[in-house]
Amino acid sequence: MSAQPSLKAPAVAAFLVAEAAAHRVTAAALAGASRLQTRRLLCSAAGAGATVETRGPLDWAARSLEEMQCAEDFDAFCMMGLSPLDGRYERFVRDLKPFFSEFGLIRYRVIVEVKWLLKLSEIPEITEVPPFSEDAQLFLDAIIQDFGLADAKEVKNIEKITNHDVKAVEYFLKKKCSSHPEIAKVLEFFHFGCTSEDINNLSHALALKEGVNTVMFPVMIDTCKAICSLAKQNSPIPMLSRTHGQPASPTTLGKEMANFAARLSNIGKSFSQVKILGKFAGAVGNYNADVVAYPEVDWPKVAEEFVRSLGLEFNPYVTQIEPHDYISKLFNLFVQFNNVLTDFDRDMWAYISLGYFKQIVKAGEVGSSTMPHKVNPIDFENSDGNLTMANGTLSSLSMKLPISRMQRDLTDSTVLRNLGVGLGHSLLAYKATLRGISKLQVNEFRLSEDLEQTWEVLAEPIQTVMRRYGIPEPYEKLKELTRGQAVTKDSIRQFIEGLDLPEKARASLLKLTPHSYIGEAENLARGIEEIVDLKSGFRIE
């Protein structure tokens, strides 16, 4: 009877306390966003219907999610969604909704419009908008702070009449501020000198910066940490390599995990090089109307100050639109990250298929509707599929958005509404990979068994030592011994003993086994944390 498999569960389960442990709202509020008292709220990370005590002020993103979850018959709404991101998988991606939903876009437009009015009040030459009193500033700040689903619905009702989404925001703000005597005098300075794209490009930029920093990057970091944990814990466990699907020089299980951790970390570092850009230069990028109205104002300087005050970089050379080159660069990095993770998912699938990993069985879970014994690698398959969907969308956005006819066409407007789609499928995939990792158990018996059956992998070190000591045609001799032949421990030892080698070299080769022939793999795996940098990467300033 063969020995029982030796199973070792990696500690990556610490990263996934529950099925969606990486699923949390950590959104840092924008300037002027809500600062409410600590309170209890629904939290998807803790499971359905669970509540957790927030550690700090309840931010606007968490509040909007709470309002959404309290909506009547929310489950029925999800079941009717055309996209599985709004249906079956909603609970895994809902943290993106405050940023990339219609609600999120409306809210960011409100922020930009209000902040622009406040900026106009600070320009001495614009005497028609004098500096606001503290009371007026608090009133305007409260519009941002308290903005919720009810406000967004009001904007949408106005849009039914205007058939223009940005104009609806302007009318909403005029109506909202008409009750304040000081602000009521300058209502027509809402949207002053602006084209809709001045508002839209900044809104999308703010959504990308905040949504990516606070929702996407934390889960990507958790994914890197989980793979690093696999690398370190399994650094000494020898494993047969497979190049072209055929037995090759052994490695260690940890070293193969370390390869992926290093690749993902390197891509993460590149995110910090992306600058989120904004424009505020009017209908065709030349401040035409602004200059006519107030020729004494340095409008390019004002625009740059305003864009930078929102935490964005300023793009001075634009048409009616900001050309979206930075979005292309950002999404190309997501595509690269997703490609590496797809590579990881497929390797894990193959290792599970080979029996190198077993999967922790979850009570009540069904693997197959007809084959009761099945424990399928569904999480890695789910991740693989969603990474394909994500990259399809992200690549399409990356290729389309930088292209616009002359000073602008409207093709980017509808496409930009899909920013959250590519990111949503990515987020869904990252969490699926994390779930898959948390269920893994290493089957050392199976790994050892494979190595024991492939003594032919020692042909490489034997012929290399033969080269060192001048034995003629070493490669050819080993090729004759091993290629297409059954190779055993005894046949390898017999070949080594017949070589004209120094005794020390022969003794070293005789001690070699497929299990010990791992080179520096163990040390490379152990040193992965010195290579993986999760602090300077995965951040957009």
Side-chain angles (χ1 to χ4, degrees), residues 421-495:
V421 176
L423 295 176
H425 281 289
S426 298
L427 183 64
L428 184 59
Y430 305 156
K431 291 182 178 181
T433 294
L434 283 165
R435 287 196 305 275
I437 292 173
S438 74
K439 297 177 183 178
L440 295 176
Q441 291 180 314
V442 179
N443 187 346
E444 291 190 55
F445 173 80
R446 181 71 185 89
L447 286 158
S448 179
E449 183 181 51
D450 252 10
L451 288 165
E452 190 60 37
Q453 294 175 356
T454 53
W455 280 80
E456 62 267 25
V457 298
L458 296 186
E460 181 191 37
I462 294 171
Q463 62 96 12
T464 303
V465 172
M466 291 169 66
R467 288 174 186 273
R468 174 181 176 181
Y469 291 101
I471 297 177
E473 298 184 327
Y475 179 89
E476 288 72 20
K477 288 183 171 65
L478 267 301
K479 178 182 175 183
E480 181 180 352
L481 174 70
T482 61
R483 195 172 192 195
Q485 307 294 322
V487 180
T488 65
K489 176 180 179 180
D490 290 339
S491 64
I492 286 289
R493 290 181 63 87
Q494 185 178 355
F495 181 84

Side-chain angles (χ1 to χ4, degrees), residues 102-173:
E102 184 79 356
F103 161 82
L105 180 56
I106 293 171
R107 179 185 172 274
Y108 282 118
R109 284 167 171 163
V110 167
I111 290 175
V112 175
E113 294 277 14
V114 169
K115 295 290 186 182
W116 178 236
L117 182 65
L118 287 166
K119 177 63 178 177
L120 291 173
S121 73
E122 298 170 358
I123 302 173
E125 294 88 345
I126 304 180
T127 57
E128 290 79 5
V129 188
F132 287 120
S133 66
E134 183 179 356
D135 179 72
Q137 291 184 47
L138 290 173
F139 185 91
L140 290 168
D141 286 342
I143 293 175
I144 297 173
Q145 292 171 3
D146 300 334
F147 191 87
L149 291 181
D151 296 306
K153 287 179 180 178
E154 186 175 347
V155 173
K156 292 301 291 183
N157 287 333
I158 297 172
E159 187 186 343
K160 291 177 183 177
I161 301 171
T162 63
N163 197 30
H164 194 289
D165 47 7
V166 177
K167 203 67 178 176
V169 171
E170 179 188 343
Y171 288 164
F172 164 80
L173 289 170

Side-chain angles (χ1 to χ4, degrees), residues 64-288:
S64 67
L65 287 176
E66 186 177 19
E67 291 178 355
M68 177 188 71
Q69 290 173 272
C70 293
E72 292 185 15
D73 204 10
F74 181 68
D75 288 340
F77 169 79
C78 289
M79 288 180 65
M80 291 297 291
L82 288 178
S83 166
L85 295 180
D86 290 319
R88 181 179 183 86
Y89 302 127
E90 187 276 337
R91 70 188 188 277
F92 297 112
V93 300
R94 68 170 56 130
D95 289 352
L96 285 173
K97 286 189 171 184
F99 308 97
F100 299 107
S101 62
E102 184 79 356
F103 161 82
L105 180 56
I106 293 171
R107 179 185 172 274
Y108 282 118
R109 284 167 171 163
V110 167
I111 290 175
V112 175
E113 294 277 14
V114 169
K115 295 290 186 182
W116 178 236
L117 182 65
L118 287 166
K119 177 63 178 177
L120 291 173
S121 73
E122 298 170 358
I123 302 173
E125 294 88 345
I126 304 180
T127 57
E128 290 79 5
V129 188
F132 287 120
S133 66
E134 183 179 356
D135 179 72
Q137 291 184 47
L138 290 173
F139 185 91
L140 290 168
D141 286 342
I143 293 175
I144 297 173
Q145 292 171 3
D146 300 334
F147 191 87
L149 291 181
D151 296 306
K153 287 179 180 178
E154 186 175 347
V155 173
K156 292 301 291 183
N157 287 333
I158 297 172
E159 187 186 343
K160 291 177 183 177
I161 301 171
T162 63
N163 197 30
H164 194 289
D165 47 7
V166 177
K167 203 67 178 176
V169 171
E170 179 188 343
Y171 288 164
F172 164 80
L173 289 170
K174 287 180 177 180
K175 178 181 177 183
K176 197 87 169 175
C177 295
S178 61
S179 62
H180 193 284
E182 184 178 346
I183 305 173
K185 296 177 182 178
V186 294
L187 293 180
E188 292 306 323
F189 281 86
F190 276 117
H191 203 68
F192 178 82
C194 300
T195 182
S196 296
E197 263 309 294
D198 288 330
I199 309 303
N200 284 334
N201 89 96
L202 297 181
S203 298
H204 289 304
L206 291 170
L208 278 170
K209 183 175 181 179
E210 189 151 278
V212 166
N213 272 334
T214 59
V215 179
M216 298 302 297
F217 286 161
V219 183
M220 295 165 81
I221 289 171
D222 283 349
T223 303
C224 289
K225 286 180 178 178
I227 297 174
C228 274
S229 180
L230 280 176
K232 288 201 67 177
Q233 290 187 359
N234 300 297
S235 58
I237 298 178
M239 181 181 83
L240 182 67
S241 292
R242 279 179 163 79
T243 58
H244 310 281
Q246 306 303 308
S249 300
T251 179
T252 71
L253 182 57
K255 167 54 170 45
E256 298 315 297
M257 302 299 103
N259 292 339
F260 289 108
R263 292 171 68 189
L264 293 172
S265 170
N266 286 336
I267 296 169
K269 295 173 187 175
S270 297
F271 281 105
S272 62
Q273 300 170 15
V274 177
K275 303 300 181 185
I276 306 297
L277 302 176
K279 61 85 67 173
F280 211 75
V284 292
N286 301 326
Y287 312 93
N288 301 48

